[in-house]
Amino acid sequence: MTDESLSPDLLLADLDADQRRAVTTDSQLVAVVAGAGSGKTRVLTRRVAYRIATGTADGAHTVVLTFTREAAGELRRRLPRLGLTERIAAGTFHSIAQQLLRQRWLDLDQQPKTIISDRSRIVSSLMGRDGLDELVNEMDWATARGVDADGYESAARRGDRRSSVSPARVAEALAAYRVEKRKRGVLDLDDLLSTTIEAIEQDPEFAAGVRWRFRHVLVDEAQDLNPLQHRMVDLFRDGRDDLFLVGDPAQAIYGFNGSDPTLLIEVSDRFPGIEVVRLPVNHRCTPQIVDVAAHSLRSDGQHTEVVSARPDGPVVATVAHDDEHGEARWVAHQIARLDPTLVRTARVAVLARTHAVLATTRTALVDAGVAVRRLVDGPGSPFTPILAEAYRLREPNHMRQWARDQFDQIDGVGDPRAEVGEAALEFLREQPTGDGPAFRNWVSTTDPFGRDLPGVDVLTFHGAKGREWHTVYLVGCETSLVPHRSATTNAARSEEARLLYVALTRATDMLTVNWAERRGGYQRKLTPLLDGFISETPETMGPPTELVAMRRTGRQVTLDRLRDWRAGVARAGGILPSAVITDHALGVIADQRPGTPDELDRVTGLGSITARRLFEGIAAALAER
């Protein structure tokens, strides 16, 4: 079924040659190896929209599997902007599995099971708190691979798994935990996958329904698939080769969860006949940032072919500090001196390997009067008490009435109340019999609000995955932290190098790497992953800037002028550039060069009012020579 609101040509207008090939290939079994900043999400969303626009896929039978709520939320926001009118099933592996199980329980007239997000509480009641974290870590390792109690002891005997916890204790915990969950009638997050897999394998009717519903399968961040997720994908696509994988082996950072970056490295062996498309051009980061990121991989014997398409930017500074307190104060001082628009529009981040390192910097930022970004449902957020009200509701009818009431309340937080009410109604449309606890889980798995509050993001390297900021400060980039001292095997150290690579490539324009000569009273050195790196801005030895610009295509020059105009509008309004007009629309404008507001509206779909408001500035940018 085609979607007449979609224009295939417009969907391709702002793609480079490699991206276009990935989106338009006739193959239905495709792997896209997408380097950092190469437009992975853009390609994924355009692939979905392009296939629906050209009638080679049906939106109602398409599923996009992601690894984070944020990624799923971004997909759901981007697709309608492209003109897609159908709602696509896009969610984390766990949320999609939960939807399938919930429908199965309703169809079988069974009571839906409660989902728990943290197994530690039950495990501690069974096994005590002594060594609990390490014990739960081993259980996580086993369940991510579908390994039961006997399988864990076998793995330990073969030397495939080593831990300070005895194999017998881990096996005992796995067995006891399984019995206790059954007794309480609960499932944990890993159970969502294993229970779905078991149902598909054992119930032919359920399997047929799943495969009928999900005929076109797309997987984001495919390098992070663990064995359970591998199996779920294989069962979804059983009998047909309609699979689109997107990922980057250089960004595989979840080995502790069973992920294996060799999936994409050896993808042709894993999926015979698959078409592999590579995206080697980084459109996000300056050459200086790409260089330091590539150096971090080379230091561990890994490599990336990614090159930057951006003009040269500032050098990447590596700054040493006396201790962690001096580092935190310096970083806070630097951020306080930045263009305030960057902080106000959430385009600045501080990243570290561990939460403990971030605590000192967070305190210094607050002391310097710099706003630190808070989660939309975290402590201090105006959303938190409103969500708490919803979570206490135990009847669907009460929740439905409560959601409608939120649009009529005026109590100083009217807008958040309306936003939560709208989210609750959306939840009830998907789950008509849902209650407060089910809504809580839905919020945690779908990210319906899709935004945080303003300020500086303070995150771990892992937490920064999939994000980007104009200015990034890395802190704690020193021995015993980067690579982390817990990385005692070659595989673990390689993952630490990839983790630093991910952190470095979160910056688009400005990047500063910080480290302390003493931390916690102990002597430290700069991370060996950056040994020998010197960031440089190439000398201007070639032709004048004017001639360089002339060599570039007219479209590139026009796009740069349009982006400069958009940046000025965004600065004046204190908003993000993408809130003014999208990159996609700028690409269409550069190609179509509309001459009137009505023509601008026709080619972009901005709407007549927005087109009239923006036309003067766009026309000026197009007229520049």
Side-chain angles (χ1 to χ4, degrees):
M1 178 185 300
T2 60
D3 189 324
E4 295 181 358
S5 65
L6 293 172
S7 166
D9 290 338
L10 290 181
L11 292 172
L12 306 177
D14 56 349
L15 302 183
D16 67 26
D18 298 309
Q19 293 170 339
R20 189 176 293 228
R21 177 188 164 198
V23 170
T24 62
T25 177
D26 291 335
S27 300
Q28 293 188 352
L29 183 60
V30 183
V32 180
V33 180
S38 63
K40 171 181 63 65
T41 304
R42 172 177 294 189
V43 164
L44 186 62
T45 53
R46 300 297 174 84
R47 176 67 173 182
V48 172
Y50 185 82
R51 287 199 60 190
I52 293 171
T54 56
T56 61
D58 188 333
H61 297 286
T62 298
V63 62
V64 185
L65 297 165
T66 71
F67 279 82
T68 66
R69 298 188 303 272
E70 292 78 12
E74 181 64 17
L75 284 166
R76 285 192 293 270
R77 287 189 291 275
R78 286 198 189 194
L79 288 169
R81 294 174 191 163
L82 297 175
L84 191 67
T85 57
E86 291 185 82
R87 182 178 176 86
I88 302 298
T92 64
F93 279 82
H94 294 98
S95 67
I96 294 296
Q98 184 182 9
Q99 291 175 29
L100 292 174
L101 289 176
R102 182 173 290 276
Q103 187 60 53
R104 175 173 167 79
W105 291 327
L106 289 173
D107 291 344
L108 297 176
D109 198 25
Q110 295 178 354
Q111 180 68 27
K113 295 184 182 297
T114 299
I115 312 300
I116 59 173
S117 59
D118 181 10
R119 58 172 58 119
S120 299
R121 182 176 300 179
I122 293 180
V123 175
S124 65
S125 70
L126 296 170
M127 308 297 293
R129 299 198 62 83
D130 186 33
L132 178 64
D133 289 345
E134 183 68 16
L135 177 60
V136 171
N137 182 61
E138 292 306 296
M139 295 174 68
D140 290 344
W141 180 91
T143 53
R145 292 161 177 78
V147 173
D148 60 12
D150 292 338
Y152 183 88
E153 289 194 290
S154 297
R157 283 194 297 271
R158 293 192 305 269
D160 294 341
R161 187 63 177 172
R162 297 184 178 89
S163 169
S164 60
V165 183
S166 71
R169 179 170 167 77
V170 177
E172 179 187 357
L174 286 167
Y177 180 61
R178 183 180 180 88
V179 171
E180 185 66 17
K181 285 187 298 181
R182 188 180 301 116
K183 185 188 303 182
R184 298 189 185 195
V186 301
L187 298 176
D188 65 22
L189 293 179
D190 284 324
D191 292 330
L192 289 174
L193 302 187
S194 60
T195 304
T196 301
I197 289 169
E198 183 178 337
I200 294 174
E201 290 177 333
Q202 297 183 2
D203 185 341
E205 185 175 346
F206 178 64
V210 170
R211 290 169 187 143
W212 175 85
R213 180 179 176 187
F214 297 145
R215 305 174 197 176
H216 320 293
V217 181
L218 300 93
V219 181
D220 189 20
E221 304 285 11
Q223 76 280 352
D224 292 328
L225 286 168
N226 67 27
L228 276 179
Q229 292 156 340
H230 268 291
R231 184 62 182 150
M232 186 168 160
V233 169
D234 283 342
L235 288 170
F236 276 18
R237 59 179 285 268
D238 185 53
R240 72 171 69 88
D241 277 337
D242 197 326
L243 176 66
F244 191 81
L245 303 171
V246 183
D248 180 11
Q251 297 186 69
I253 60 172
Y254 294 108
F256 63 86
N257 195 36
S259 68
D260 183 1
T262 61
L263 167 68
L264 286 179
I265 296 172
E266 302 170 356
V267 70
S268 296
D269 297 329
R270 176 73 171 77
F271 301 99
I274 196 168
E275 179 177 355
V276 179
V277 181
R278 301 185 185 279
L279 305 182
V281 180
N282 182 314
H283 298 278
R284 175 198 301 155
C285 310
T286 65
Q288 286 70 25
I289 293 170
V290 170
D291 285 348
V292 68
H295 181 95
S296 69
L297 288 179
R298 287 196 301 269
S299 295
D300 184 66
Q302 303 179 66
H303 76 283
T304 176
E305 298 175 354
V306 172
V307 295
S308 174
R310 296 275 309 277
D312 279 310
V315 298
V316 176
T318 303
V319 184
H321 305 275
D322 291 338
D323 59 23
E324 66 268 36
H325 302 291
E327 175 189 63
R329 287 193 298 269
W330 186 87
V331 169
H333 178 68
Q334 295 299 311
I335 293 176
R337 296 172 58 195
L338 291 173
D339 177 351
T341 302
L342 290 174
V343 175
R344 188 166 62 247
T345 56
R347 298 171 66 198
V348 180
V350 178
L351 309 179
R353 176 63 179 83
T354 67
H355 287 287
V357 172
L358 290 171
T360 306
T361 306
R362 183 180 289 106
T363 299
L365 287 168
V366 173
D367 291 343
V370 176
V372 176
R373 211 172 186 196
R374 298 172 295 171
L375 293 175
V376 75
D377 56 354
S381 166
F383 285 83
T384 301
I386 305 170
L387 287 167
E389 292 177 20
Y391 296 159
R392 288 193 292 269
L393 299 170
R394 289 295 184 267
E395 294 292 334
N397 289 336
H398 293 166
M399 170 160 280
R400 189 170 285 105
Q401 185 60 52
W402 177 91
R404 290 169 179 155
D405 290 345
Q406 303 315 299
F407 295 92
D408 300 325
Q409 294 201 34
I410 302 175
D411 58 1
V413 288
D415 287 344
R417 283 196 173 276
E419 199 165 344
V420 175
E422 184 178 352
L425 290 175
E426 181 181 356
F427 157 74
L428 288 167
R429 282 192 290 271
E430 293 184 11
Q431 302 180 25
T433 60
D435 58 7
F439 180 53
R440 179 199 294 270
N441 191 69
W442 183 82
V443 168
S444 70
T445 55
T446 61
D447 186 29
F449 306 109
R451 63 176 175 81
D452 294 339
L453 300 178
V456 175
D457 279 302
V458 181
L459 298 169
T460 64
F461 291 176
H462 280 102
K465 179 73 178 294
R467 306 278 298 277
E468 66 178 62
W469 297 266
H470 176 279
T471 300
V472 172
Y473 293 85
L474 267 58
V475 294
C477 293
E478 64 222 26
T479 49
S480 86
L481 281 170
V482 180
H484 195 270
R485 57 183 172 273
S486 63
T488 58
T489 66
N490 289 335
R493 283 190 289 270
S494 291
E495 182 162 308
E496 289 288 314
R498 296 192 295 269
L499 185 55
L500 178 59
Y501 173 82
V502 166
L504 294 166
T505 54
R506 299 311 93 193
T508 63
D509 290 76
M510 297 282 293
L511 174 64
T512 304
V513 177
N514 297 274
W515 65 284
E517 295 177 344
R518 296 184 70 83
R519 187 175 299 273
Y522 292 94
Q523 197 75 27
R524 302 291 177 89
K525 296 180 180 179
L526 175 67
T527 170
L529 294 172
L530 296 182
D531 273 350
F533 176 76
I534 299 176
S535 182
E536 297 179 347
T537 301
E539 296 181 20
T540 307
M541 300 293 290
T545 303
E546 292 81 7
L547 292 180
V548 174
M550 288 173 62
R551 288 181 184 171
R552 299 163 63 224
T553 68
R555 184 178 190 275
Q556 289 173 321
V557 174
T558 299
L559 270 176
D560 283 347
R561 290 199 301 262
L562 287 168
R563 290 188 181 113
D564 289 343
W565 160 78
R566 181 179 66 173
V569 175
R571 281 194 299 272
I575 58 177
L576 291 173
S578 59
V580 179
I581 190 170
T582 65
D583 286 340
H584 173 66
L586 289 184
V588 173
I589 292 167
D591 289 330
Q592 303 292 326
R593 303 183 72 86
T596 66
D598 288 342
E599 192 176 346
L600 175 63
D601 179 24
R602 181 177 59 78
V603 300
T604 63
L606 286 170
S608 59
I609 294 176
T610 301
R612 287 196 298 271
R613 177 169 56 84
L614 298 181
F615 178 74
E616 183 177 350
I618 290 173
L622 292 174
E624 288 181 21
R625 289 289 184 267

